[in-house]
Amino acid sequence: MIAFGTVVDDIYTFARDLKESRRGEMLPTLVAARGGAPVAAASHDEVGELFAVAGTMASGYGADTLALIFEGVFPLLPHNPLTKVDWEKGEAEELWLHHDGAARSWVTECQLVTVASRDLQRSASAHSFRDIEGEIQWSGDAQRLQGTGVEQSLFDAFDRPMLDPAQVRSPGDGFTASADAPMMNPDLGRRSLDVGLTRVLDTRFTVDVPGGYAVFVFGDEEEAGVYRAMGLMDWQCLVCAK
């Protein structure tokens, strides 16, 4: 069994790599991991839409870990340097946008990552960064946090039982599985569930509730090619080192 700390480190690395590849503002992203590695990611500009599919992702992908990645602007000083009093909501972003607050070390952009496992372990971190003309510069090491307030929502997603890839029926040549169709072998059933769920999520976030997208994560192009042959689109494939 892979140690939770190892899974957390892999997810933190994935989050940073994803930020660097996106260049610019990154949408809030929900990551599903199984076997110790990220396997799928859904992004949307409304965090509530991600929580709405968290249970589906945990169940359909057979995830043993979920992680929420989102960005924010946070103060570095005890008081607002312009008003000289305690910070009010929205002021940190105002100074970042209009007063060069990051360069003056008044505020910082942060990537927040919250990780929760099926066996009720959790971890959270904040990693400051600066976006310099599309190049992401990370500031030191990530800071571990006590929590971010979304852990319970991630834990709740594991209430749904995992779908069993050994219970996926073969669609046959007509791609319509009947009630008496034979079961796929577990490996093929797993791929079928992965492809189907990724396509459903991507359609949901690009057509039904526009504002995002979904991808499946691959360690190499060869693996991605197998899934493309089963119906996954190019834009639904994210190839990176897992």
Side-chain angles (χ1 to χ4, degrees):
M1 184 176 179
I2 301 173
F4 180 67
T6 300
V7 178
V8 168
D9 288 343
D10 287 347
I11 290 176
Y12 287 168
T13 298
F14 176 77
R16 290 192 297 271
D17 290 347
L18 195 60
K19 171 62 181 176
E20 292 171 6
S21 69
R22 289 293 181 259
R23 294 182 179 273
E25 186 176 357
M26 178 178 160
L27 294 175
T29 298
L30 183 65
V31 178
R34 66 171 182 252
V39 295
S43 302
H44 200 279
D45 52 19
E46 294 291 340
V47 174
E49 292 296 333
L50 297 178
F51 287 140
V53 301
T56 300
M57 290 181 67
S59 172
Y61 288 124
D64 42 47
T65 309
L66 292 174
L68 182 68
I69 307 167
F70 60 97
E71 296 179 357
V73 179
F74 299 90
L76 294 173
L77 302 176
H79 301 100
N80 185 323
L82 298 185
T83 65
K84 310 300 182 184
V85 297
D86 291 345
W87 293 91
E88 297 287 341
K89 183 178 180 180
E91 287 183 344
E93 187 168 357
E94 173 71 17
L95 266 62
W96 172 66
L97 285 172
H98 303 296
H99 299 277
D100 208 14
R104 295 180 177 183
S105 298
W106 292 349
V107 299
T108 182
E109 290 181 87
C110 274
Q111 181 188 74
L112 300 181
V113 184
T114 307
V115 184
S117 69
R118 190 173 289 275
D119 60 358
L120 303 183
Q121 298 185 77
R122 66 181 187 176
S123 180
S125 76
H127 203 164
S128 298
F129 66 87
R130 291 191 66 189
D131 186 338
I132 309 297
E133 297 182 352
E135 294 296 326
I136 304 302
Q137 296 183 358
W138 300 96
S139 301
D141 296 326
Q143 300 298 310
R144 295 298 172 101
L145 306 175
Q146 289 297 316
T148 59
V150 302
E151 290 85 355
Q152 190 58 51
S153 294
L154 297 179
F155 286 141
D156 290 345
F158 293 115
D159 289 344
R160 294 191 186 185
M162 288 191 289
L163 297 183
D164 185 353
Q167 297 299 312
V168 178
R169 295 190 181 276
S170 173
D173 294 336
F175 293 96
T176 303
S178 63
D180 57 354
M183 300 295 181
M184 293 182 176
N185 69 62
D187 288 342
L188 190 57
R190 177 70 272 159
R191 295 192 192 106
S192 181
L193 288 173
D194 292 341
V195 170
L197 180 53
T198 303
R199 293 188 62 169
V200 166
L201 290 173
D202 192 48
T203 298
R204 174 184 174 90
F205 287 157
T206 57
V207 178
D208 301 335
V209 190
Y213 53 87
V215 295
F216 197 79
V217 181
F218 300 96
D220 54 56
E221 280 290 348
E222 182 178 358
E223 184 185 10
V226 173
Y227 277 66
R228 290 190 185 102
M230 295 181 66
L232 209 59
M233 301 293 103
D234 286 343
W235 65 84
Q236 296 165 344
C237 300
L238 176 63
V239 180
C240 63
K242 291 193 286 186

